Amino acid sequence: MAGDMIVEARGMNHWFGTGEARKQALFDIDLALPRGSLTVLMGPSGSGKTTVLTLLGCLRGVQDGSVNLMGHELNGATEAELTALRRQLGFIFQSHNLHESLTARQNVMIGVQVRPGVNDDLTRRAAAHALDLVGLSDRIDYLPANLSGGQKQRVAVARALVGNPQMVLADEPTAALDRDSASDVVDLLKRLGAARGTTTLLVTHDNRILDRADRILTLEDGRIVTNTGGARGNDAKMHSRAPKI
Amino acid sequence: MSRLLQWIFGRLPIGWMQLTHKRGRFFAALSGVAFANVLVFVQLGIMNSMATATLRPYEFFNADIMISATDANALSEGGNVARQWMLQALADPDVTAGLGLFVGDVPWDRGERDITFTTFGIDPGQREFIAREIATDSALLQMQDAALLDRLARGMSRDEAAAIRPQTPLSFETKGRTLTALDTFAGGGGFGGDGFMLVSDQTFLSLFPDRSSAAPDHILLRLRPGANVEAVANNLHELITDKTLRIRSFADAAQEDLRYQQTQRPTGVIFGFGVLIGVLVGLVIVYQVLSADVADHLREYATFKAMGYGHRFFLGIVVEEALILGILGFVPGVAIGTAILTLMGKVTTLPLAMTPSMAITVFVGTVVFSALSGVIATRRLAAADPADLF
Ligand SMILES: Nc1ncnc2c1ncn2[C@@H]1O[C@H](COP(=O)(O)OP(=O)(O)O)[C@@H](O)[C@H]1O
Ligand SMILES: [Mg+2]
C-alpha cells in the first residue's frame, strides 16, 4: 500500500450475531486515510459508523477482507498484537469516561503510562503540556466532578493526544456538548492534529464540523455511499466504489 | 501516601485513589477487614489457650511412656489401666520405673462459687516422675489428706494462694473429708477444671472410695537413659497381654490429647470453625468491595483497555486495592484483637494473649486472602469490552 496511507481497508465485511440472528453490518468497505488528514465519517444512526471505527481502531477483530494499519494486517491479528497497536492510537468517546477519582492531570497521565519505560516526571510534564494545549492549564488539579462537560471532553482530548498517537479515532465526541464546547473540541482536534501530523477519523452527525474536514465519507446501511473532499478538500487518494445496488 | 505508592508501583496508585475517593465505602471496608481479623484473633487465641491448657498438666510429670485405656483420649477421660500391666512392662530391661497416675475432679465448695480441681494422685515417693518445681514439695504429700494446690486456679485470689505455706496451711472440706493444702505450684486454669491439685495416691483413694489402687487411670514409665522410646513402646505392645492398650511416648500422648481436644471435642471444633468463618467473612467483604468497585468503574476500565492496557494492569490495580484494604484493616484488627484477648484473659484466667506468631499468621493470611479476593474480583472485568464504549 502507499506509504502515505496510515490505514487502508479493502473489501471489509462485518457481521454481528450468530445463526438466525446473524446480520451483516458492513458490506465491502474500501477506504484509505492519508497520514495527517482529518476525515469525517457521516451517516444515519445504525449505518455502521461505529463498527468501522472499532475495526480500524483494533477494538474488534476483522472478520472478512483486509485492513492494513500502519503496515500491520489486522485480519488474523492476535489479541496481543491488537492491544499493542492500540497503544499507538488515541480514542475519544461520546462520553469522556474520565476516572472520577483522578485529577485532570492524572487522567491524562494514564494516556502516557501505557507505554513502557516512560518516567514519572516526564509523564507529569507531558500531561500538563497536553492540558495546556486544550486550554485547561488552570484546571490541572481539578477532579472531573469540578469540570464542565466541555472541559471534561477537552481533558479526554488531551488524554487521547498526549502520547502523540499516529491516529485519533473519535466517535461523536461532541454529541453531548453545547454548540460552543462542541466547536472548541473539533477545533482542537483539527489544530492539534495538523500541528502533530496526526490522522483523525471523526464520526459525527454535526454539520457544523463538515467544513473542517479534508474528506467526508458517508455510510448508509453498511455501505459507503459518498466519498468526497470536504470544504477544504485536497487531492488525497481515496479508494472507493460505487455502492452496490 | 499517594506519592509513596506511586514510587512503589512505578505508576499512578489508581487503586489507592479509587478507594479513598469513596470514603464511606473505604472505611466500611476497613472496618469489615478489621472485624474479620478480630474474629480470627479471638478464635485463634482461644485455640492457642486450649493448647496451652491441654498440654500444661503433662508438664507436671517426667515420663517417657504413657499407657492408657483405649478410650482414654485425654488425661481425665476414659477407662483405667490394671496395675498388673505395669508389672509386665517393668520386665522390659529398658524400663526403669513405673507410676500409677490417678485423675479425678475434686470440688471445693466456696459458698458463692465452687472451684473444681483436676486432681492427680501419685506415689509421692517416686520423685523422679514429678517435675522439678513440684518435686521439692512432694514429700509433704506423704501425710494423709495433704494436698498441693494450683496457685493460678480460677476462683482463688492470688493473695489467698500466696498465703498457703507449710507453716500456714489451708484446710477445706470436700467429699466428706478435710484436705490440707500445704503448699502451691503454678498450674493454670484450663477448659476442664478451674485449676489443678496434687495428692498422694492414698489420699486420692480415700477421696474416691470406689476407685481401686489396682487400677490407676494411666501408667507412666521411665526408661533407661539413652533408650529408644519408640522401640520400647513397640516392644511393650508385644510384652503386655492386653492388646487394646494405648502405649505411646509421653510426648505423643500429650499431642494426641491436643489433637483430640481440637478436632473431636465440640469446643475445639467450634473454635476451628470460628477461624474459618472469620476468614470467609474477610474474604467476602474484600471481594464484595472490590467487585462493586470494578463494576462501578467498568467504563473507565474499558477505556483503559481501549488505550492498550492489558489484564496485568487491571490485576495490578485491584490487587493494589486488596492489599491496601488488607494491610490497613489489619492495623485496627490486631489492636482490637489484642485488647479483647487481654480482657478475656483477665475475666476467664485462661492463658489468652496475642502472640507474635498469631499476629504474623493472621497478617500473612489477611494479605494472601485479600489478594485472592482481588484476583477473583477482576473476573468481572471481562465484561468491560472497549468495543462497547462507542
Ligand atoms: N454489538 C453488536 N451486536 C449486534 N449488532 C450490532 C452490534 N453493534 C452494532 N450492531 C448493529 O450493526 C449496525 C451498525 O451499527 P453501528 O456501527 O453502531 O452504527 P452507527 O454507529 O452508524 O449508529 C446496526 O444495525 C446495529 O444494530
Ligand atoms: Mg455509533
Side-chain angles (χ1 to χ4, degrees):
Chain A
M1 92 181 198
D4 53 352
M5 295 295 159
I6 189 160
V7 62
E8 191 163 4
R10 299 222 151 267
M12 183 170 73
N13 291 294
H14 198 83
W15 292 265
F16 285 109
T18 50
E20 289 284 290
R22 188 165 155 97
K23 178 172 167 278
Q24 187 159 4
L26 294 181
F27 298 82
D28 199 22
I29 301 288
D30 287 350
L31 61 81
L33 305 182
R35 282 185 190 274
S37 63
L38 172 72
T39 303
V40 167
L41 185 55
M42 300 194 61
S45 182
S47 58
K49 307 182 294 293
T50 296
T51 309
V52 168
L53 217 66
T54 54
L55 286 165
L56 301 186
C58 305
L59 295 169
R60 275 185 213 289
V62 173
Q63 295 171 344
D64 187 43
S66 154
V67 177
N68 191 304
L69 174 68
M70 300 182 286
H72 300 267
E73 176 55 52
L74 300 188
N75 192 344
T78 64
E79 191 54 47
E81 287 164 349
L82 294 178
T83 303
L85 281 170
R86 287 207 299 269
R87 293 192 187 137
Q88 302 179 52
L89 305 177
F91 293 95
I92 304 168
F93 308 94
Q94 183 172 337
S95 69
H96 52 82
N97 295 339
L98 297 181
H99 221 279
E100 56 175 1
S101 57
L102 305 186
T103 64
R105 184 213 290 260
Q106 290 168 334
N107 267 292
V108 175
M109 284 168 72
I110 301 277
V112 196
Q113 282 185 341
V114 70
R115 295 159 194 237
V118 284
N119 83 40
D120 182 51
D121 192 46
L122 207 69
T123 308
R124 298 178 62 80
R125 276 188 295 156
H129 180 63
L131 284 168
D132 190 26
L133 290 178
V134 299
L136 290 175
S137 47
D138 56 340
R139 296 285 189 275
I140 279 183
D141 293 320
Y142 280 47
L143 289 174
N146 301 323
L147 297 173
S148 73
Q151 288 170 335
K152 280 187 266 207
Q153 198 58 299
R154 271 145 67 194
V155 175
V157 170
R159 181 179 59 187
L161 294 178
V162 67
N164 275 324
Q166 302 277 328
M167 178 163 72
V168 171
L169 300 165
D171 196 350
E172 309 197 27
T174 58
L177 301 182
D178 62 60
R179 172 179 276 279
D180 285 348
S181 308
S183 111
D184 276 358
V185 166
V186 174
D187 277 342
L188 270 173
L189 281 174
K190 172 79 188 155
R191 194 157 47 79
L192 298 178
R196 295 165 174 230
T198 309
T199 312
T200 306
L201 179 59
L202 177 65
V203 167
T204 185
H205 283 307
D206 197 339
N207 289 320
R208 298 165 298 179
I209 288 162
L210 300 183
D211 58 342
R212 276 119 159 163
D214 297 319
R215 179 83 17 195
I216 299 167
L217 294 173
T218 311
L219 274 178
E220 247 169 56
D221 294 332
R223 293 180 171 88
I224 293 180
V225 290
T226 61
N227 184 343
T228 62
R232 303 182 51 244
N234 53 29
D235 57 350
K237 305 164 199 70
M238 305 298 271
H239 304 265
S240 171
R241 287 180 199 170
K244 293 171 185 160
I245 318 276
Chain B
M1 185 76 185
S2 197
R3 284 270 166 162
L4 174 73
L5 291 170
Q6 167 131 18
W7 181 76
I8 293 173
F9 294 115
R11 60 162 168 78
L12 279 175
I14 297 170
W16 167 257
M17 289 190 273
Q18 216 160 276
L19 279 176
T20 49
H21 189 69
K22 294 207 165 134
R23 300 215 167 199
R25 183 190 277 184
F26 184 47
F27 286 115
L30 289 182
S31 323
V33 172
F35 172 74
N37 274 328
V38 168
L39 217 60
V40 171
F41 274 129
V42 169
Q43 310 292 335
L44 276 185
I46 294 174
M47 277 174 69
N48 267 355
S49 79
M50 194 161 78
T52 311
T54 302
L55 298 178
R56 181 66 186 132
Y58 288 89
E59 294 167 4
F60 303 157
F61 306 103
N62 293 323
D64 297 309
I65 285 180
M66 181 157 114
I67 303 178
S68 316
T70 175
D71 59 347
N73 294 308
L75 272 178
S76 51
E77 262 188 40
N80 44 39
V81 186
R83 193 178 283 275
Q84 72 188 91
W85 309 134
M86 181 165 91
L87 301 178
Q88 282 190 343
L90 285 168
D92 185 308
D94 280 336
V95 177
T96 56
L99 174 85
L101 176 64
F102 294 88
V103 188
D105 282 346
V106 174
W108 176 10
D109 184 358
R110 309 248 300 168
E112 79 271 25
R113 190 185 184 287
D114 277 7
I115 300 180
T116 302
F117 289 109
T118 303
T119 301
F120 297 107
I122 47 161
D123 174 0
Q126 292 190 279
R127 286 181 50 176
E128 73 266 35
F129 278 98
I130 305 169
R132 188 169 318 171
E133 318 84 89
I134 310 174
T136 46
D137 283 333
S138 63
L140 296 170
L141 297 179
Q142 301 280 9
M143 272 192 284
Q144 182 64 26
D145 293 339
L148 297 177
L149 278 195
D150 180 355
R151 62 173 164 269
L152 303 179
R154 201 177 296 140
M156 196 166 57
S157 79
R158 296 288 166 268
D159 291 343
E160 186 184 5
I164 300 174
R165 294 280 162 74
Q167 306 81 3
T168 54
L170 174 89
S171 293
F172 62 95
E173 304 271 322
T174 180
K175 293 177 162 270
R177 301 188 71 89
T178 304
L179 286 185
T180 304
L182 290 171
D183 211 337
T184 60
F185 65 98
F191 286 76
D194 299 311
F196 299 100
M197 178 159 75
L198 286 175
V199 296
S200 70
D201 41 8
Q202 294 310 313
T203 303
F204 187 93
L205 291 169
S206 58
L207 288 167
F208 295 90
D210 52 338
R211 294 294 302 270
S212 148
S213 70
D217 291 275
H218 306 275
I219 287 166
L220 305 186
L221 299 177
R222 283 182 62 83
L223 305 185
R224 179 181 59 76
N228 180 336
V229 179
E230 300 303 323
V232 175
N234 285 337
N235 191 39
L236 292 180
H237 270 294
E238 302 292 318
L239 207 59
I240 297 175
T241 322
D242 185 347
K243 298 302 177 199
T244 68
L245 292 177
R246 302 167 86 160
I247 305 172
R248 68 279 201 227
S249 76
F250 192 58
D252 285 352
Q255 289 305 319
E256 277 174 25
D257 189 348
L258 178 58
R259 217 169 310 128
Y260 169 72
Q261 303 290 344
Q262 287 180 339
T263 62
Q264 309 281 305
R265 294 277 294 259
T267 39
V269 174
I270 284 168
F271 295 129
F273 253 112
V275 172
L276 195 72
I277 286 170
V279 170
L280 282 180
V281 165
L283 241 151
V284 167
I285 287 172
V286 175
Y287 172 76
Q288 274 301 326
V289 169
L290 295 184
S291 66
D293 194 64
V294 168
D296 283 356
H297 293 100
L298 228 41
R299 282 193 76 80
E300 289 89 332
Y301 284 138
T303 307
F304 291 167
K305 268 193 194 173
M307 290 159 72
Y309 284 99
H311 190 68
R312 273 181 45 198
F313 174 75
F314 304 109
L315 209 60
I317 293 178
V318 179
V319 169
E320 170 194 334
E321 291 185 298
L323 293 181
I324 288 168
L325 288 179
I327 292 168
L328 292 189
F330 175 80
V331 175
V334 73
I336 297 170
T338 307
I340 290 183
L341 283 177
T342 310
L343 192 74
M344 279 173 64
K346 281 231 169 67
V347 173
T348 60
T349 72
L350 287 169
L352 285 168
M354 176 68 67
T355 63
S357 79
M358 252 163 80
I360 291 168
T361 308
V362 172
F363 179 73
V364 171
T366 305
V367 167
V368 168
F369 282 114
S370 299
L372 195 71
S373 308
V375 171
I376 302 172
T378 57
R379 290 194 330 178
R380 284 195 149 195
L381 271 172
D385 182 356
D388 294 337
L389 278 175
F390 286 122

